[in-house]
Amino acid sequence: MEILVVGTGAREHALVRALSQDPAVTAVHAAPGNPGIGALATLHPLDPLDGAAVADLAVRLGVGLVVVGPEAPLVAGVADAVRAAGIPVFGPSAQAARLEGSKAFAKEVMAAADVPTARALVAEDLPALAAALDRLGAPYVVKDDGLAAGKGVVVTSDRDAALAHGEACLTTGGGRVVVEEYLDGPEISLFVLSDGTDVVPLVPAQDFKRAHDRDEGPNTGGMGAYSPLPWAPTTLVDDVLREVARPTVAEMARRGTPFVGVLYCGLALTWRGLQVVEFNARFGDPETQVVLARLATPLAGVLLAAATGGLGALPPLEWRDEAAVTVVVAAHGYPGTVRSGDPVTGLDEAEQVPGVHVLHAGTATDGGRLVASGGRVLSVVATGGTLTEARAAAYAGVERVHLPGSHHRGDIALTAAASEDDDR
Ligand code: AMP
Ligand code: GLY
């Protein structure tokens, strides 16, 4: 089978890498992909938001499966266009992708399905915004209703800053802002595959959303991740399936908009139990980099089963008994205004560290040289027998990569690795 992957990031590079290692896959194509993906797949330049172009390409290539990576094409209906062309597609319809595309819609579905989540108020003007802030109190959580590439949320105890962000969402965003109760507790990402009816969980991971060490600085798309989570309750996955994923998938089916693809459950473990922080309608980036590094089952058959209603008949997934850590190398200025064009070197040297592979995100080639072309430039991924070993290898890899002005967090998986050491 040949497969087409849509997207440009390190998540898509991780997907392409896993798919190209599947013996059932004869060729991988990517649209538009990036220079790292180009080493494993044939690249096809096109606008990933253009559903007709993606569907035409899939038909022309005769692929057996299309995998849509990022949220924007899903919300724009790219999966619908591919499905209409008769090709199996891993990714929800535009209607189902509203679970990510509108935070207000996600809240409505969670309420209908009795899924535990933060109390929320939706405001469409300034007086309603101010009233919502005062009703729920500090710390304030203010979210743009629509897609914002991981930067639409501000969590602050400063009422003026909360008001200013809310006002910006009202004027430049979609005109709606969601104010939420603050959820206090560690966050977990669990990806749950769905074929519209049945669900299959992957393994939990933890993402580091803030730009700087000790969770300081602004929110980003994610600066690093690790899996497994030695500190998480052993019932976590079952709890999420029972309390969150199955009721949500059932509610989407009941509404006539079945969810096919991956339901990204962003969760907080609070004193009141599990609470949903957010749903996404796609794989998380950078969590996918560590989750797929641990998956032993060939990926293509799993995604095809989800795309074609076959998850109920899928044998249980197999996982490597290894830990994985990824560290994101970000360009100068990220998550603010980023500087592009700086040379990126040392990737081969990084990959000589045992257990390390480097995935591209914001890279481009310029006259034969690899240069930075986006905020998150690379994901350096490492596996090892323990989190401590995987972490040491990932940072040894990062040290060998050179990108002028770049920054990365130094504390990815640090606390978890320490807790693992305590256990021994
Ligand atoms: P979201 O875009 O909804 O995923 O939010 C991005 C990040 O903001 C989350 O990963 C959390 O770190 C933080 N966040 C979002 N909602 C809440 C909440 N209700 N309470 C505390 N932190 C939150
Ligand atoms: N890692 C966060 C996200 O993919 O949204």
Side-chain angles (χ1 to χ4, degrees), residues 11 207 209 221-222 264 278 280 282-287 376:
R11 162 186 53 209
D207 178 22
K209 288 235 164 74
Y264 168 138
E278 61 168 336
N280 292 317
R282 37 113 192 138
F283 284 110
D285 187 346
E287 298 97 312
R376 294 188 291 175

Side-chain angles (χ1 to χ4, degrees), residues 103 118 141 143 153 155 180-183 187 209 219 277-278:
K103 294 195 187 281
V141 180
K143 303 186 173 187
V153 178
V155 180
E180 266 186 25
E181 166 197 11
Y182 177 75
L183 296 175
E187 287 185 46
K209 288 235 164 74
N219 264 329
V277 175
E278 61 168 336

